[in-house]
Amino acid sequence: MSIASTSEYTIPTKDTVNEGVLLEKKDDLRLVEIPVPEPTAGHVQVQVKCTGICGSDVHLWKHGEIGIFPVTRPQLLGHESAGIVTALGEGVTSLKVGDRVAIEAGIPCSQCDQCMNGRYHLCPDVIFKSTPPYDGQLARYITHPARWLHKIPQSISYGEGALLEPLSVAIAALDRVGAKFGKSLLITGSGPIGLLILAVAKATGVHPIAITDVQQSRLDYAKSMGATFTYRVDPAKSELDTVKEVRALFPGGEGAEYSLECTGIESSFRTAIMATRDAGTCCLVGVGKNDQSIPVNNFAMREVDIRGLFRYHHTYPRAIALLASGILDIKHLITDTFDFSDALQAFEKVADRNSGALKVQIIN
């Protein structure tokens, strides 16, 4: 059953106060009152119960851009959300009031060649919540197309429902390199995405798995999750020495058959490429500088395939099934929760690299 108890949600009235976390401009984040939105045809109103803070939200706040998307106007943040349906727009029959749902943040046109070929995440007209110039989901009430809401069972909490978004990135990353049972994997970066990739790879039977980071505490956490090897990056060490040591973690010292770079940092991407086994595949998952220097001859003369990843597609049903079945347990990654009224403190927590936080969520 995906129906929430009536005590879990509030149908808004004309007196209901809606609030949102608004990025006014770079370095200017505010908790503001906003209108309660009414659902149009094909849309539903959702009381957002939980939203996770993504690194991209913090990057937008601190840098005024993420990748090729600059902040051009005030906008709400947040795209990792789950909640409860509180009103239906005209023509909606797939959902009902009280349904517990995870919110897939991307809304494609469903008509272009990319959409018709199943790659709806590459739709040139996609509206992705919280990616400039579009408002995100970090509000008490939002509206969203019914087509891009996924029912979640009672066994999945709202916190886990919000984790379905970054879990989707992890699933898509492993799909992108074609990771298979019994094949080796290198993950560079032990943040939430790297750790989620580790969890899915373990459940898939990928082995051995090595993961890197500069923080020992995160590596210790990765080890507790089942990483075969961990490697602490020493920025003072030469690039070639680092690559040699990472390659040596894998059978024959030949490196990993698949590498997933999850930091977006140029030096880490270079290491991931050079630590990938000959004829292997390396994929850039993290978002960093628009222009980076990479070792072209190193990968070209070893026939290492370099791939990119942009979000995900057709992952939510699989992600929900993994959590509902009990095959995957990721709720331990939620280290901190804040009430909606303390949302700005939640952002400060994520921005503090020494806080020890993994996934910080805002609850309503």
Side-chain angles (χ1 to χ4, degrees), residues 35 200 227 286:
V200 178

Side-chain angles (χ1 to χ4, degrees), residues 154-174:
Q154 293 288 348
S155 60
I156 295 178
S157 68
Y158 297 112
E160 290 171 297
L163 279 176
L164 290 168
E165 201 281 337
L167 178 57
S168 284
V169 175
I171 292 171
L174 288 163

